[in-house]
Amino acid sequence: MSPAMRRWAARRPTARHEAGSGSEAAPPRRPSVSRAYNFGAGPAALPEPVLAQAAAEMLDWRGSGMGVMEMSHRGREFGEIFSVAESRLRELLAVPATFKLLFMQGGAIAENAIVPMNLVDLRPGHVTEHVITGLWSIKTHQEARRYGEARIVASNAVEGPGNHTTLPVAATWRLGADASYVHVCSNETINGVEMHELPDLRALGSEAPLVVDCSSHIASRSIDWSRIGLAYAGAQKNIGPSGLTLVFVREDLLGHALPICPSAFDYATVAANGSMFNTPPTWSIYVAGLVFEWIAAQGGVAALERRNVEKAALLYGAIDGSDGFYANRVAAGCRSRMNVPFFLRDEALQAPFLAGAAERGLLQLKGHKSVGGLRASIYNAMPLEGVQALVAYMREFAGRHG
Amino acid sequence: MSPAMRRWAARRPTARHEAGSGSEAAPPRRPSVSRAYNFGAGPAALPEPVLAQAAAEMLDWRGSGMGVMEMSHRGREFGEIFSVAESRLRELLAVPATFKLLFMQGGAIAENAIVPMNLVDLRPGHVTEHVITGLWSIKTHQEARRYGEARIVASNAVEGPGNHTTLPVAATWRLGADASYVHVCSNETINGVEMHELPDLRALGSEAPLVVDCSSHIASRSIDWSRIGLAYAGAQKNIGPSGLTLVFVREDLLGHALPICPSAFDYATVAANGSMFNTPPTWSIYVAGLVFEWIAAQGGVAALERRNVEKAALLYGAIDGSDGFYANRVAAGCRSRMNVPFFLRDEALQAPFLAGAAERGLLQLKGHKSVGGLRASIYNAMPLEGVQALVAYMREFAGRHG
């Protein structure tokens, strides 16, 4: 038996969770001691009512005799799930009718190749322009080089701890006249910088469409579609399970895929087949639909945005008010509402900080390995109470060790 | 309100399923009147204990404080889920150590492009050879033409109702000496033909690796790895939810990806990163792991294969013994154990047959639109009792209308 198998055996479901045990215990319906506050950067916490409903409908979706995972993607039942999810999301984000909404696979990292395969041929030079703001936009730039000339038009990279902690002012971007598109990542999870306004490329003298990787803050705030040609998002932060990618593409950009673009990733083909050219990730779409329903029940994206502003203000306030015990390095005005990295003045306290947090059910607070320190991701599904609990713990910890 | 939204509203969860209602009703743990026998071709029925366990663990996976969808793919908990799933599947299918097992996205249709992007460069001519046995191998051939010269070396296509109802004898395949690989689809779901033995390409004079799309019968029978260079399978028939693709690739075939192959789909990159170059479809992998556990509990693939032989014999026997009331057109020796298409002598009886079946909880029996008629997909998760119920209904229906 391998060590992993041994750990597995030790983790066999407890009686409370035992499937087929005949026990009458339902999955927990309300916050319970067993649910932690999960500050992971993604895949990330989901709203508890979404999980509860997914569990309750697992074996029989609303009298259909089937669970959602068991449905034909072309059947009537899944057709309903799909079309309701799509129209809800369009409504929540006020997506204009000129945009196609595609449900795809592969996440943002696959999309880093799929976007150029679909759009680089918009202009003959096959030039793409990239604004570097952190690791994710760097990866996007590197991947685009497979398909054309990928230029860096601006960057926030510097030596030392200030690396990727600002945002290059749009007026300084060195935009050319020949680009097929300009790419930005509007929220970088690792250093925690967020574009609070998208650039107006026309005002900057560029005719190129703006392509936005908004994986890590989609649905946390409103989107100015007038500035966007294409936006994409891996689902696993604010939308649902990993394995689903949302692509919003302006219709006039369709139909330019390179001959080497796989059919399954040709936006025009995917759009013409209603995201069912290949079998879509049906379960992930179903859960995303439940999340959209939950967002609507919270009062929509505007209400969540207000809550996100409040949560972020509370957490940054605690950091900034700690007399340097904790520090966030990101320039004011560029700080992310979703991902809040912070550092302890005394690095030796990091391990005790994390251990004490875990004891209190405050999970996944370790920073990304490339920057170290701590990080709290406070996506839509993180309730204000979770941030309050974190802040209370931070104050208590600083009091003990300050 | 759109028609779809109206239908949705009418389907609001019933009291029994209401999430957060405080009701103590658990998801059903055993076969209940609300669970149907689901003969859909895919996404297809899953074992009920798998669904029950997934529901029970939804909000808190084994005391971790998180549901599986909420876990970091790089965290300890998901690491356990992943490595146990992988080692279980390797054991169940007796995968040799010389093969890498990759967990990818996009299904078999994406793989139709990903395979040539990775393997066509094995030989300088960029030639791929294809055995046509039905719609899925036709799609594979068409997609491969994007990346090289895709030759048809054998085909079972004929005019009329015998189309795709045989399998071309391997000795007749027109194999060249320059192919990068030879592709077969070892079970075609639409016409229901299955290769009960994989070709031995070396014995046929070819040095090319055999590439097998085994999406629709993986884990239903043993696999002769000595004849295979690469095998791939969309998960949504015998493995788990859609959105997950399994790729088994012999290590010596790695490292030949074309420069235009997206990093996320470069087998060498995926293998070097333990299927975590991009965020994998974590929930689908978890459910697949539960299915693997279920297969092991059934006695392994050999036991399921015996059961599948029995199920298929029962159903084909009922068709063949109906004095022509029902007919299956596939040549003896090529009949699929997984997908059993059949036709009513009197086509006018099809609608009443389907209506009566649905009344008895026998679902998704309509044939593929390209061939019409009826089809019962009887994958691993279909119990013998489901086939018995179908056969009993078929006899009763024939007695009433024969």
Side-chain angles (χ1 to χ4, degrees):
Chain A
M1 206 187 242
S2 73
M5 291 292 262
R6 258 195 302 276
R7 281 197 303 275
W8 181 268
R11 274 199 190 265
R12 290 292 310 146
T14 57
R16 174 168 157 264
H17 286 136
E18 186 74 62
S21 67
S23 150
E24 289 306 301
R29 300 285 197 234
R30 316 171 169 285
S32 68
V33 288
S34 64
R35 286 281 291 174
Y37 290 119
N38 173 2
F39 294 92
L46 288 168
E48 196 163 305
V50 165
L51 296 174
Q53 186 162 343
E57 297 180 337
M58 181 69 76
L59 284 93
D60 179 17
W61 185 77
R62 303 183 187 185
S64 68
M66 299 176 281
V68 174
M69 287 189 281
E70 307 174 293
M71 292 176 181
S72 169
H73 56 298
R74 302 199 189 279
R76 188 170 42 82
E77 293 85 357
F78 186 73
E80 265 181 59
I81 290 170
F82 183 91
S83 69
V84 169
E86 184 187 10
S87 50
R88 253 191 227 290
L89 181 58
R90 282 186 165 278
E91 195 179 318
L92 286 170
L93 292 179
V95 183
T98 49
F99 280 74
K100 293 286 186 189
L101 167 52
L102 312 179
F103 292 81
M104 297 181 66
Q105 298 180 52
I109 289 184
E111 216 55 45
N112 285 342
I114 296 170
V115 168
M117 285 196 287
N118 276 278
L119 299 189
V120 78
D121 203 31
L122 283 168
R123 296 279 182 88
H126 288 195
V127 171
T128 60
E129 295 186 327
H130 299 264
V131 178
I132 300 300
T133 52
L135 183 67
W136 300 112
S137 45
I138 289 172
K139 281 181 192 269
T140 302
H141 169 250
Q142 286 171 342
E143 189 75 7
R145 292 190 298 185
R146 295 183 183 279
Y147 309 99
E149 182 189 343
R151 289 186 200 142
I152 294 175
V153 296
S155 173
N156 68 354
V158 296
E159 290 292 318
N163 192 26
H164 302 313
T165 58
T166 63
L167 284 171
V169 177
T172 67
W173 299 0
R174 300 175 301 277
L175 300 171
D178 55 347
S180 293
Y181 62 85
V182 179
H183 183 275
V184 299
C185 175
S186 51
N187 186 71
E188 291 267 8
T189 54
I190 294 175
N191 293 87
V193 300
E194 179 170 7
M195 291 188 182
H196 293 289
E197 189 179 26
L198 288 175
D200 180 352
L201 291 187
R202 264 163 305 194
L204 297 169
S206 171
E207 294 298 318
L210 181 70
V211 173
V212 185
D213 175 357
C214 58
S215 297
S216 51
H217 69 165
I218 185 171
S220 76
R221 57 189 303 153
S222 64
I223 298 181
D224 183 353
W225 294 102
S226 74
R227 299 193 168 180
I228 291 177
L230 184 147
Y232 61 94
Q236 65 268 21
K237 279 87 158 79
N238 274 318
I239 300 294
S242 62
L244 170 65
T245 320
L246 302 176
V247 177
F248 308 80
V249 54
R250 228 172 53 207
E251 282 172 343
D252 63 289
L253 302 179
L254 295 173
H256 295 272
L258 298 174
I260 52 84
C261 180
S263 308
F265 302 125
D266 178 335
Y267 294 141
T269 301
V270 177
N273 288 276
S275 297
M276 302 219 188
F277 178 76
N278 56 350
T279 309
T282 51
W283 171 264
S284 300
I285 292 170
Y286 158 72
V287 175
L290 297 181
V291 171
F292 303 153
E293 197 171 342
W294 175 82
I295 294 175
Q298 305 302 300
V301 169
L304 284 179
E305 183 166 1
R306 284 191 295 275
R307 193 190 297 172
N308 289 328
V309 168
E310 187 183 359
K311 283 151 53 185
L314 179 62
L315 184 47
Y316 284 113
I319 294 166
D320 294 343
S322 71
D323 283 331
F325 188 85
Y326 304 104
N328 169 276
R329 297 171 179 163
V330 177
C334 308
R335 284 173 159 186
S336 171
R337 297 172 183 162
M338 298 283 103
N339 310 98
V340 183
F342 58 104
F343 298 84
L344 286 155
R345 184 168 44 204
D346 179 359
E347 275 182 31
L349 291 175
Q350 180 151 325
F353 180 92
L354 288 169
E359 273 169 29
R360 285 158 182 79
L362 307 169
L363 299 186
Q364 305 209 65
L365 281 161
K366 201 170 173 184
H368 190 269
K369 58 179 188 251
S370 65
V371 293
L374 304 159
R375 176 174 52 171
S377 293
I378 50 175
Y379 299 119
N380 280 347
M382 174 59 63
L384 179 61
E385 293 72 22
V387 180
Q388 289 168 336
L390 172 60
V391 164
Y393 169 63
M394 288 168 69
R395 293 204 172 114
E396 176 206 320
F397 186 86
R400 264 189 288 135
H401 298 277
Chain B
M1 203 187 244
S2 72
M5 291 292 261
R6 260 196 300 276
R7 280 196 302 276
W8 182 267
R11 276 201 189 263
R12 291 292 309 146
T14 57
R16 173 166 158 266
H17 287 136
E18 187 75 62
S21 65
S23 149
E24 289 304 301
R29 299 283 198 236
R30 314 169 172 285
S32 69
V33 289
S34 64
R35 284 282 290 175
Y37 289 120
N38 173 1
F39 295 92
L46 288 168
E48 196 164 303
V50 165
L51 296 174
Q53 187 164 342
E57 297 180 338
M58 180 70 76
L59 284 93
D60 179 18
W61 185 78
R62 306 183 186 185
S64 67
M66 301 176 279
V68 174
M69 287 188 282
E70 308 175 291
M71 291 174 182
S72 168
H73 55 299
R74 301 198 190 279
R76 188 170 42 82
E77 294 85 357
F78 186 73
E80 264 182 60
I81 290 171
F82 183 91
S83 69
V84 170
E86 184 188 10
S87 50
R88 254 191 226 291
L89 181 58
R90 282 187 165 277
E91 195 179 318
L92 286 170
L93 292 178
V95 183
T98 49
F99 280 74
K100 294 286 188 188
L101 166 52
L102 312 179
F103 292 82
M104 298 182 65
Q105 298 181 51
I109 289 183
E111 216 55 45
N112 286 341
I114 295 168
V115 168
M117 284 196 287
N118 276 278
L119 299 190
V120 77
D121 204 31
L122 283 169
R123 297 278 183 89
H126 288 195
V127 171
T128 60
E129 294 186 327
H130 299 265
V131 178
I132 299 299
T133 52
L135 183 68
W136 299 112
S137 44
I138 289 172
K139 281 181 192 272
T140 303
H141 169 251
Q142 287 171 342
E143 190 75 5
R145 292 190 299 186
R146 295 184 183 281
Y147 309 99
E149 182 190 342
R151 290 186 198 142
I152 294 175
V153 296
S155 172
N156 68 354
V158 295
E159 290 292 318
N163 193 26
H164 301 314
T165 57
T166 62
L167 284 171
V169 177
T172 68
W173 299 0
R174 298 176 300 278
L175 300 171
D178 55 347
S180 293
Y181 62 85
V182 179
H183 182 277
V184 300
C185 176
S186 50
N187 185 71
E188 291 267 7
T189 54
I190 295 176
N191 292 88
V193 300
E194 180 171 5
M195 291 186 181
H196 294 289
E197 190 179 26
L198 289 175
D200 180 351
L201 291 187
R202 264 163 305 193
L204 297 169
S206 171
E207 294 298 317
L210 181 70
V211 173
V212 184
D213 175 357
C214 58
S215 296
S216 50
H217 68 166
I218 185 172
S220 75
R221 59 187 304 152
S222 64
I223 297 181
D224 183 353
W225 295 102
S226 73
R227 299 191 169 182
I228 291 177
L230 184 148
Y232 62 93
Q236 64 268 23
K237 280 82 158 84
N238 274 319
I239 301 294
S242 62
L244 170 64
T245 320
L246 303 175
V247 177
F248 307 80
V249 55
R250 228 172 52 206
E251 282 172 341
D252 63 289
L253 303 179
L254 293 173
H256 295 271
L258 298 174
I260 52 84
C261 180
S263 307
F265 302 125
D266 178 332
Y267 295 141
T269 301
V270 177
N273 288 277
S275 297
M276 302 220 188
F277 178 75
N278 57 349
T279 310
T282 51
W283 171 264
S284 300
I285 292 170
Y286 158 70
V287 175
L290 297 181
V291 171
F292 303 152
E293 197 170 343
W294 175 82
I295 294 175
Q298 305 302 301
V301 170
L304 284 178
E305 182 166 1
R306 285 192 294 275
R307 192 190 297 171
N308 288 328
V309 167
E310 186 184 359
K311 282 152 53 185
L314 178 61
L315 183 48
Y316 285 113
I319 293 166
D320 294 342
S322 71
D323 283 331
F325 187 86
Y326 304 104
N328 168 276
R329 296 169 179 165
V330 176
C334 308
R335 285 173 159 184
S336 170
R337 296 173 185 164
M338 297 283 102
N339 310 98
V340 182
F342 57 103
F343 298 85
L344 286 154
R345 184 166 46 204
D346 179 0
E347 275 183 31
L349 291 175
Q350 180 150 325
F353 179 92
L354 287 169
E359 275 170 27
R360 285 161 182 78
L362 306 169
L363 299 187
Q364 305 210 64
L365 281 161
K366 202 169 172 184
H368 190 269
K369 58 178 189 253
S370 66
V371 293
L374 303 160
R375 175 174 54 170
S377 294
I378 51 176
Y379 299 118
N380 280 348
M382 174 60 63
L384 179 62
E385 294 72 23
V387 180
Q388 289 169 334
L390 172 60
V391 164
Y393 169 63
M394 288 169 67
R395 293 205 170 112
E396 177 206 320
F397 187 85
R400 265 190 287 133
H401 296 278

